[in-house]
């Protein structure tokens, strides 16, 4: 007579265990190692830049263009676009931001976690951009550059080091969390009111997916950390 009750209890506990197991699996940290993968990322971007300068066909193959990504089924472009840059200056500016903010972040969370964070947020930015461009009929718009991932790294830096101060132009001290908020507001303004070739929506996507990663993977509420800085 106790078997049905016992069976029901097993089912309920199994469902609860599945939820807990899934969450624990998502949040299980990698074994800490530091391999300075930022150098590898920069080297890969430089190599791709040189290849695309020599062969325009490589640029067309690796850059994200919704017409090719979706209609020609070049789905890999949502990943490869992050390694493609339009010029040496474009590459330098992105890698400088990655060096400034990413070095401390990689040392803090380890190279494996950093690489997962970087590649995943960049890929999600690519998917979001491709979806948005195709929705608005911008099939031939090309997207290249690591700026979405760099913005994500900046966000993570501000969460991991909320008491840090960034000297803008080497002169103006700005707390890291405030700098992220300022950047976010600037990107929203530029996206709505300026008409340039910068993918401001991708920068905002980088901030959003960084927040999402931090909430799900680390279980951290960034705003709560920033509000209780002492």
């Amino acid at each position: 007579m106790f078997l049905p009750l016992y069976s029901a209890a097993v089912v309920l506990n199994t469902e609860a265990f599945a939820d807990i197991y899934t969450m624990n699996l998502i949040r299980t940290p990698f074994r800490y190692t530091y391999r300075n993968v930022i150098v590898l990322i920069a080297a890969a971007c430089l190599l791709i830049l040189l290849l695309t300068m020599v062969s325009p066909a490589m640029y067309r193959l690796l850059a994200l263009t919704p017409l090719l990504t979706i209609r020609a089924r070049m789905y890999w472009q949502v990943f490869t676009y992050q390694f493609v840059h339009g010029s040496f200056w474009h590459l330098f500016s992105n890698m400088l931001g990655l060096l400034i903010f990413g070095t401390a972040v990689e040392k803090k969370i380890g190279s494996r976690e950093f690489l997962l964070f970087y590649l995943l947020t960049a890929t999600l930015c690519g998917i979001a951009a491709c979806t948005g461009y195709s929705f608005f009929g911008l099939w031939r718009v090309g997207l290249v550059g690591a700026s979405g991932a760099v913005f994500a790294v900046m966000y993570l830096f501000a969460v991991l080091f909320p008491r840090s101060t960034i000297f803008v132009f080497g002169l103006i001290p700005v707390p890291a969390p405030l700098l992220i908020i300022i950047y976010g507001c600037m990107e929203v303004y530029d996206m709505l009111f300026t008409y340039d070739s910068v993918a401001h929506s991708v920068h905002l996507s980088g901030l959003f997916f960084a927040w999402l990663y931090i909430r799900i993977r680390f279980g951290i509420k960034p705003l709560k950390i920033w509000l209780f800085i002492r």
Side-chain angles (χ1 to χ4, degrees):
M1 63 180 293
F2 295 105
L3 183 59
L5 295 177
Y6 176 78
S7 299
V10 169
V11 171
L12 292 175
N13 287 337
T14 300
E15 292 176 351
F17 175 78
D19 292 339
I20 295 173
Y21 177 79
T22 301
M23 187 55 66
N24 287 341
L25 183 63
I26 291 174
R27 293 183 177 174
T28 299
F30 294 109
R31 184 173 61 86
Y32 182 89
T33 58
Y34 178 69
R35 296 287 186 265
N36 200 10
V37 297
I38 289 178
V39 174
L40 298 179
I41 293 172
C45 291
L46 178 59
L47 176 61
I48 296 298
L49 175 61
L50 296 175
L51 287 175
T52 53
M53 291 177 67
V54 173
S55 173
M58 287 295 296
Y59 189 94
R60 180 175 178 271
L61 189 67
L62 300 177
L64 194 161
T65 306
L67 184 65
L68 299 177
T69 305
I70 298 176
R71 295 187 177 179
R73 298 183 180 181
M74 295 183 179
Y75 302 126
W76 61 82
Q77 291 183 344
V78 299
F79 176 81
T80 57
Y81 84 96
Q82 64 184 289
F83 299 102
V84 184
H85 290 79
S87 65
F88 281 107
W89 172 250
H90 186 202
L91 173 63
F92 174 78
S93 59
N94 276 337
M95 292 304 101
L96 180 61
L98 181 62
L99 177 65
I100 293 173
F101 296 99
T103 301
V105 171
E106 184 184 350
K107 289 181 178 179
K108 179 74 172 181
I109 65 177
S111 297
R112 295 177 181 178
E113 189 73 47
F114 179 84
L115 192 60
L116 173 64
F117 174 82
Y118 183 90
L119 296 178
L120 181 59
T121 53
T123 304
L124 290 174
C125 285
I127 294 172
C130 188
T131 302
Y133 290 156
S134 60
F135 178 80
F136 289 104
L138 303 173
W139 292 98
R140 298 184 182 277
V141 171
L143 177 65
V144 297
S147 56
V150 173
F151 267 73
V153 171
M154 289 169 55
Y155 191 103
L156 182 54
F157 177 90
V159 172
L160 296 177
F161 306 97
R163 296 179 178 84
S164 297
T165 298
I166 308 300
F167 287 85
V168 180
F169 303 118
L171 298 172
I172 307 172
V174 181
L178 179 58
L179 182 64
I180 293 301
I181 294 173
I182 292 174
Y183 265 123
C185 292
M186 290 173 60
E187 292 300 323
V188 171
Y189 177 86
D190 289 339
M191 182 178 66
L192 296 176
F193 301 109
T194 62
Y195 301 93
D196 53 27
S197 60
V198 179
H200 300 290
S201 61
V202 177
H203 298 171
L204 291 172
S205 295
L207 297 178
F208 171 74
F209 288 123
W211 172 83
L212 196 63
Y213 187 102
I214 293 166
R215 288 291 291 114
I216 295 175
R217 172 72 171 164
F218 298 148
I220 296 174
K221 297 179 179 179
L223 187 59
K224 185 175 181 180
I225 289 179
W226 294 346
L227 289 177
F228 289 92
I229 296 176
R230 294 181 179 178

